[in-house]
mmCIF file of all heavy atoms in Angstrom:
data_model
loop_
_atom_site.group_PDB
_atom_site.id
_atom_site.type_symbol
_atom_site.label_atom_id
_atom_site.label_comp_id
_atom_site.label_asym_id
_atom_site.label_seq_id
_atom_site.Cartn_x
_atom_site.Cartn_y
_atom_site.Cartn_z
ATOM 1 N N ASN V 43 -94.911 -23.561 8.300
ATOM 2 C CA ASN V 43 -95.496 -23.477 9.636
ATOM 3 C C ASN V 43 -94.450 -23.250 10.717
ATOM 4 O O ASN V 43 -94.749 -22.652 11.752
ATOM 5 C CB ASN V 43 -96.323 -24.733 9.939
ATOM 6 C CG ASN V 43 -97.639 -24.731 9.182
ATOM 7 O OD1 ASN V 43 -97.994 -23.733 8.549
ATOM 8 N ND2 ASN V 43 -98.367 -25.850 9.232
ATOM 9 N N ARG V 114 -104.454 -16.978 9.928
ATOM 10 C CA ARG V 114 -104.691 -17.293 11.331
ATOM 11 C C ARG V 114 -103.404 -17.296 12.160
ATOM 12 O O ARG V 114 -103.402 -16.926 13.330
ATOM 13 C CB ARG V 114 -105.364 -18.672 11.412
ATOM 14 C CG ARG V 114 -105.629 -19.101 12.827
ATOM 15 C CD ARG V 114 -106.281 -20.449 12.902
ATOM 16 N NE ARG V 114 -106.098 -21.006 14.230
ATOM 17 C CZ ARG V 114 -106.869 -20.744 15.260
ATOM 18 N NH1 ARG V 114 -107.884 -19.940 15.139
ATOM 19 N NH2 ARG V 114 -106.614 -21.290 16.433
ATOM 20 N N ARG V 143 -111.967 -23.022 14.339
ATOM 21 C CA ARG V 143 -110.633 -22.702 14.852
ATOM 22 C C ARG V 143 -110.631 -21.599 15.929
ATOM 23 O O ARG V 143 -110.098 -20.507 15.723
ATOM 24 C CB ARG V 143 -109.702 -22.348 13.697
ATOM 25 C CG ARG V 143 -109.633 -23.437 12.655
ATOM 26 C CD ARG V 143 -108.711 -23.101 11.539
ATOM 27 N NE ARG V 143 -107.351 -23.549 11.790
ATOM 28 C CZ ARG V 143 -106.373 -23.452 10.886
ATOM 29 N NH1 ARG V 143 -106.583 -22.917 9.728
ATOM 30 N NH2 ARG V 143 -105.181 -23.901 11.166
ATOM 31 N N PRO V 144 -111.199 -21.889 17.100
ATOM 32 C CA PRO V 144 -111.226 -20.896 18.181
ATOM 33 C C PRO V 144 -109.837 -20.715 18.823
ATOM 34 O O PRO V 144 -108.888 -21.373 18.436
ATOM 35 C CB PRO V 144 -112.199 -21.503 19.185
ATOM 36 C CG PRO V 144 -112.131 -22.971 18.951
ATOM 37 C CD PRO V 144 -111.803 -23.153 17.506
ATOM 38 N N MET V 145 -109.767 -19.807 19.828
ATOM 39 C CA MET V 145 -108.471 -19.570 20.496
ATOM 40 C C MET V 145 -108.535 -19.829 21.993
ATOM 41 O O MET V 145 -107.674 -19.369 22.745
ATOM 42 C CB MET V 145 -108.021 -18.129 20.247
ATOM 43 C CG MET V 145 -107.439 -17.930 18.867
ATOM 44 S SD MET V 145 -106.595 -16.371 18.750
ATOM 45 C CE MET V 145 -105.227 -16.555 19.873
ATOM 46 N N ASP V 146 -109.576 -20.573 22.441
ATOM 47 C CA ASP V 146 -109.763 -20.759 23.879
ATOM 48 C C ASP V 146 -108.539 -21.379 24.568
ATOM 49 O O ASP V 146 -108.195 -21.028 25.700
ATOM 50 C CB ASP V 146 -111.023 -21.602 24.142
ATOM 51 C CG ASP V 146 -111.019 -22.912 23.374
ATOM 52 O OD1 ASP V 146 -110.577 -22.918 22.213
ATOM 53 O OD2 ASP V 146 -111.440 -23.945 23.934
ATOM 54 N N LEU V 147 -107.850 -22.279 23.894
ATOM 55 C CA LEU V 147 -106.714 -22.961 24.533
ATOM 56 C C LEU V 147 -105.527 -22.006 24.711
ATOM 57 O O LEU V 147 -104.803 -22.061 25.716
ATOM 58 C CB LEU V 147 -106.290 -24.189 23.712
ATOM 59 C CG LEU V 147 -107.395 -25.229 23.489
ATOM 60 C CD1 LEU V 147 -106.989 -26.250 22.436
ATOM 61 C CD2 LEU V 147 -107.740 -25.929 24.801
ATOM 62 N N SER V 186 -103.021 -28.583 20.926
ATOM 63 C CA SER V 186 -103.050 -27.583 19.849
ATOM 64 C C SER V 186 -101.632 -27.092 19.555
ATOM 65 O O SER V 186 -100.866 -26.759 20.469
ATOM 66 C CB SER V 186 -103.941 -26.411 20.282
ATOM 67 O OG SER V 186 -103.524 -25.204 19.686
ATOM 68 N N VAL V 187 -101.334 -27.029 18.256
ATOM 69 C CA VAL V 187 -100.000 -26.581 17.831
ATOM 70 C C VAL V 187 -99.813 -25.107 18.196
ATOM 71 O O VAL V 187 -98.855 -24.726 18.868
ATOM 72 C CB VAL V 187 -99.835 -26.786 16.303
ATOM 73 C CG1 VAL V 187 -98.533 -26.191 15.798
ATOM 74 C CG2 VAL V 187 -99.933 -28.270 15.954
ATOM 75 N N GLY V 188 -100.766 -24.275 17.761
ATOM 76 C CA GLY V 188 -100.644 -22.833 17.992
ATOM 77 C C GLY V 188 -100.643 -22.481 19.472
ATOM 78 O O GLY V 188 -99.861 -21.629 19.912
ATOM 79 N N ASP V 329 -102.748 -31.914 7.373
ATOM 80 C CA ASP V 329 -102.315 -31.119 6.224
ATOM 81 C C ASP V 329 -101.912 -31.972 5.019
ATOM 82 O O ASP V 329 -101.577 -31.426 3.968
ATOM 83 C CB ASP V 329 -101.150 -30.192 6.621
ATOM 84 C CG ASP V 329 -101.610 -29.021 7.480
ATOM 85 O OD1 ASP V 329 -102.830 -28.847 7.639
ATOM 86 O OD2 ASP V 329 -100.751 -28.284 7.987
ATOM 87 N N ILE V 351 -109.021 -33.647 13.048
ATOM 88 C CA ILE V 351 -108.462 -32.397 13.588
ATOM 89 C C ILE V 351 -109.366 -31.208 13.287
ATOM 90 O O ILE V 351 -109.623 -30.379 14.151
ATOM 91 C CB ILE V 351 -107.036 -32.121 13.022
ATOM 92 C CG1 ILE V 351 -106.123 -33.344 13.232
ATOM 93 C CG2 ILE V 351 -106.426 -30.871 13.653
ATOM 94 C CD1 ILE V 351 -105.796 -33.676 14.662
ATOM 95 N N PHE V 352 -109.824 -31.088 12.050
ATOM 96 C CA PHE V 352 -110.687 -29.969 11.668
ATOM 97 C C PHE V 352 -112.027 -30.466 11.155
ATOM 98 O O PHE V 352 -112.064 -31.429 10.380
ATOM 99 C CB PHE V 352 -110.033 -29.130 10.565
ATOM 100 C CG PHE V 352 -108.808 -28.395 11.032
ATOM 101 C CD1 PHE V 352 -107.554 -28.757 10.571
ATOM 102 C CD2 PHE V 352 -108.906 -27.356 11.940
ATOM 103 C CE1 PHE V 352 -106.418 -28.085 11.003
ATOM 104 C CE2 PHE V 352 -107.774 -26.682 12.386
ATOM 105 C CZ PHE V 352 -106.529 -27.049 11.905
HETATM 106 C C1 LIG X 523 -101.404 -25.594 12.860
HETATM 107 C C2 LIG X 523 -100.903 -25.474 11.438
HETATM 108 C C3 LIG X 523 -101.915 -26.057 10.470
HETATM 109 C C4 LIG X 523 -102.253 -27.490 10.863
HETATM 110 C C5 LIG X 523 -102.676 -27.574 12.332
HETATM 111 C C6 LIG X 523 -102.880 -29.002 12.817
HETATM 112 C C7 LIG X 523 -99.531 -23.478 11.529
HETATM 113 C C8 LIG X 523 -99.346 -22.061 11.105
HETATM 114 N N1 LIG X 523 -100.680 -24.067 11.149
HETATM 115 O O1 LIG X 523 -102.596 -24.815 12.943
HETATM 116 O O2 LIG X 523 -101.357 -26.016 9.156
HETATM 117 O O3 LIG X 523 -103.310 -27.950 10.058
HETATM 118 O O4 LIG X 523 -101.648 -26.973 13.158
HETATM 119 O O5 LIG X 523 -101.746 -29.745 12.616
HETATM 120 O O6 LIG X 523 -98.679 -24.063 12.171
HETATM 121 N N2 LIG X 523 -108.428 -25.530 18.691
HETATM 122 C C9 LIG X 523 -109.326 -25.154 19.649
HETATM 123 N N3 LIG X 523 -108.987 -24.122 20.491
HETATM 124 C C10 LIG X 523 -107.795 -23.461 20.388
HETATM 125 C C11 LIG X 523 -106.883 -23.875 19.392
HETATM 126 C C12 LIG X 523 -107.247 -24.908 18.559
HETATM 127 O O7 LIG X 523 -110.412 -25.713 19.775
HETATM 128 O O8 LIG X 523 -107.539 -22.538 21.182
HETATM 129 C C13 LIG X 523 -108.806 -26.641 17.768
HETATM 130 C C14 LIG X 523 -108.932 -26.160 16.333
HETATM 131 O O9 LIG X 523 -110.198 -25.625 16.081
HETATM 132 C C15 LIG X 523 -108.662 -27.407 15.546
HETATM 133 C C16 LIG X 523 -107.651 -28.166 16.415
HETATM 134 O O10 LIG X 523 -107.761 -27.586 17.718
HETATM 135 O O11 LIG X 523 -109.832 -28.173 15.429
HETATM 136 C C17 LIG X 523 -106.218 -28.094 15.920
HETATM 137 O O12 LIG X 523 -105.789 -26.775 15.926
HETATM 138 P P1 LIG X 523 -104.276 -26.357 16.171
HETATM 139 O O13 LIG X 523 -103.432 -27.530 16.472
HETATM 140 O O14 LIG X 523 -104.289 -25.222 17.151
HETATM 141 O O15 LIG X 523 -103.907 -25.808 14.739
HETATM 142 P P2 LIG X 523 -103.222 -24.447 14.372
HETATM 143 O O16 LIG X 523 -102.115 -24.125 15.304
HETATM 144 O O17 LIG X 523 -104.248 -23.411 14.094
#
Side-chain angles (χ1 to χ4, degrees):
N43 286 352
R114 179 180 161 84
R143 304 181 90 175
M145 282 193 65
D146 53 321
L147 302 168
S186 151
V187 173
D329 286 352
I351 307 294
F352 292 111

